Amino acid sequence: MRAAFIHSREIEKYHYPADCPFKTERAALTKNILSSINRYQDRAQGIVEYAPRPATRDELALYHTSEYLEVLQQASAGNLAPEALFMGLGTQDTPIFTDLYPYSVLAGGASLTGAQLLLDQKFDIVFNPSGGFHHAFKGKAGGFCYINDVVLAARFLANAGKRVFCLDLDAHHGDGTQAAFYDQNSVFTVSFHESGKTLFPWGGFEFEIGEGEGRGYNVNMPFPAGTDDDVYARAFNELVPPLLDVYKADIILLEIGMDILAVDPLTHLGCTNNVLAAILPLLTRTGMPLLVMGGGGYHPQATARAWSLAWCILCGFESSEDLSLGMGGVFLGSSEWEAGLRDMHSYATGKDLQRINTDVDEKIEYIKRTVFPIHNI
């Protein structure tokens, strides 16, 4: 695979407040892990780092209102307008800080950079670990997100005539992304996440399937707390391949927020990064170009290790078996597990597993009963 890792020294300069759970440093940490095991670049094979550019105001306007963008820029400069509070700014989840606007515009531009690279057919895989801000609405911030790069990239590609399949695997439901396309069929949105009964943003239920022209083009698979790799992968295998096949997409947008991991301090799923090795090959085998974005993940070391594993699988550096325990015991900067890129396996058992399976089976059957017939599946 020809692959581009979107990153630069410039983007490493920007940070959220020190007490904020969202750490921009995860992207650089991922690069460092991959570099330490000689899996970051292979220029002979077309696997390289590619520097992002800031999104232009016109590009930001593909989704966001001019009023919101102006208030956002002014807030970042220290001038807080009264309407900023009604736009979601200044909360614990959306703090105001100096780096807010320049970082958000560059991270958003990174996903647009990746979209253009795929449109120009220069790469097969593009990974922007600094992207995935799916909680931002057109005129409101939320959940550490100010500029919704997922929507911007999807609209950019759709406007270029591409059929876009947007697959969000973050533990938090991509509410901003869903809202952007809920009544449209230009982008097929699918979100796998922890149930809104137990996690912000308290939505993304299975019965939210779109409306109007978008009915059947928005799919939510909400998982109960404790969902492990096997259950997650089973749901993925039953739902995603049929939908991908029937939609005939040109490009897949993939958000891989690693707050699905059991070690994440803000979520309640029970997955390990081994689930990536189970599901990512299903996407690469489609032969469709992939624009991959980071998203959540509030255990920085575990997130960076999972993204490193994802990069290796996507690029075809190693087979899934090669990445099990190996890499020669390379030290990856984690105090929990230093034997390689893979996490130790963890599985639900007993009554917990029975509860999880029952819940997930009901959701899968509901989606098959309500969404699949719309597409003649």
Side-chain angles (χ1 to χ4, degrees):
M1 293 288 186
R2 300 169 302 162
F5 190 103
I6 309 295
H7 191 68
S8 65
R9 289 186 178 180
E10 180 184 1
I11 206 166
E12 291 183 11
K13 297 188 304 184
Y14 301 116
H15 307 278
Y16 280 52
D19 61 349
C20 181
F22 188 89
K23 304 299 181 184
T24 64
E25 297 84 353
R26 300 169 307 162
L29 183 57
T30 303
K31 174 183 177 178
N32 291 342
I33 290 174
L34 289 168
S35 297
S36 73
I37 59 175
N38 197 30
R39 291 294 184 268
Y40 185 57
Q41 296 189 81
D42 186 338
R43 294 186 179 278
Q45 298 298 320
I47 300 173
V48 300
E49 177 182 288
Y50 200 99
R53 57 164 182 79
T56 67
R57 183 60 73 96
D58 285 345
E59 288 172 329
L60 297 173
L62 286 170
Y63 184 43
H64 297 289
T65 66
S66 58
E67 180 186 17
Y68 173 68
L69 294 171
E70 185 62 32
V71 170
L72 197 64
Q73 188 171 15
Q74 291 300 317
S76 184
N79 303 314
L80 188 63
E83 55 266 36
L85 299 177
F86 298 99
M87 294 178 173
L89 299 175
T91 71
Q92 186 176 3
D93 288 348
T94 52
I96 296 170
F97 53 102
T98 303
D99 289 349
L100 186 164
Y101 192 76
Y103 174 75
S104 297
V105 170
L106 186 56
S111 289
L112 287 167
T113 298
Q116 185 66 62
L117 291 173
L118 293 180
L119 200 60
D120 294 340
Q121 299 183 352
K122 292 183 177 180
F123 294 95
D124 307 298
I125 306 285
V126 176
F127 181 27
N128 173 25
S130 298
F133 294 98
H134 59 175
H135 295 308
F137 286 73
K138 63 180 181 179
K140 189 174 182 180
F144 312 125
C145 303
Y146 304 90
I147 297 295
N148 194 321
D149 62 299
V150 185
V151 173
L152 295 181
R155 283 203 168 160
F156 172 80
L157 292 166
N159 289 347
K162 299 300 181 182
R163 292 176 66 81
V164 180
F165 192 92
C166 185
L167 178 59
D168 189 334
L169 305 183
D170 194 287
H172 296 86
H173 173 239
D175 53 345
T177 303
Q178 173 174 293
F181 302 110
Y182 201 66
D183 60 353
Q184 304 170 30
N185 58 19
S186 59
V187 175
F188 200 124
T189 55
V190 177
S191 181
F192 278 50
H193 51 269
E194 181 179 334
S195 172
K197 294 179 180 179
T198 55
L199 190 68
F200 173 90
W202 320 115
F205 298 107
E206 65 277 10
F207 51 79
E208 299 171 28
I209 64 169
E211 60 187 17
E213 292 184 355
R215 186 172 183 273
Y217 290 85
N218 186 83
V219 173
N220 287 300
M221 178 60 234
F223 290 101
T227 296
D228 66 11
D229 296 340
D230 287 350
V231 177
Y232 191 104
R234 178 168 62 82
F236 188 96
N237 289 337
E238 291 200 38
L239 296 177
V240 174
L243 293 172
L244 259 176
D245 183 62
V246 75
Y247 187 61
K248 307 300 181 185
D250 299 307
I251 291 178
I252 299 173
L253 267 58
L254 175 66
E255 176 160 341
I256 49 173
M258 284 298 102
D259 43 10
I260 66 172
L261 299 178
V263 297
D264 195 276
L266 300 187
T267 61
H268 315 97
L269 297 180
C271 294
T272 71
N273 67 22
N274 296 288
V275 75
L276 295 174
I279 63 179
L280 289 183
L282 296 175
L283 300 179
T284 57
R285 284 199 293 268
T286 67
M288 281 182 267
L290 274 163
L291 174 56
V292 186
M293 293 157 282
Y298 305 96
H299 187 302
Q301 291 78 21
T303 296
R305 188 168 62 248
W307 286 347
S308 298
L309 176 64
W311 175 252
C312 288
I313 294 172
L314 291 169
C315 292
F317 277 129
E318 310 283 346
S319 69
S320 59
E321 291 80 9
D322 292 332
L323 291 164
S324 57
L325 296 175
M327 302 314 220
V330 175
F331 177 70
L332 300 179
S334 169
S335 60
E336 298 177 357
W337 184 237
E338 299 166 8
L341 292 178
R342 292 287 195 100
D343 291 336
M344 289 183 285
H345 286 278
S346 176
Y347 300 105
T349 57
K351 291 183 178 180
D352 281 341
L353 180 58
Q354 183 178 0
R355 167 186 60 84
I356 292 166
N357 271 321
T358 299
D359 185 290
V360 170
D361 286 343
E362 290 175 355
K363 303 298 190 301
I364 292 173
E365 290 308 311
Y366 180 89
I367 294 167
K368 287 183 175 180
R369 188 171 66 251
T370 58
V371 174
F372 278 28
I374 296 174
H375 303 285
N376 297 316
I377 300 176

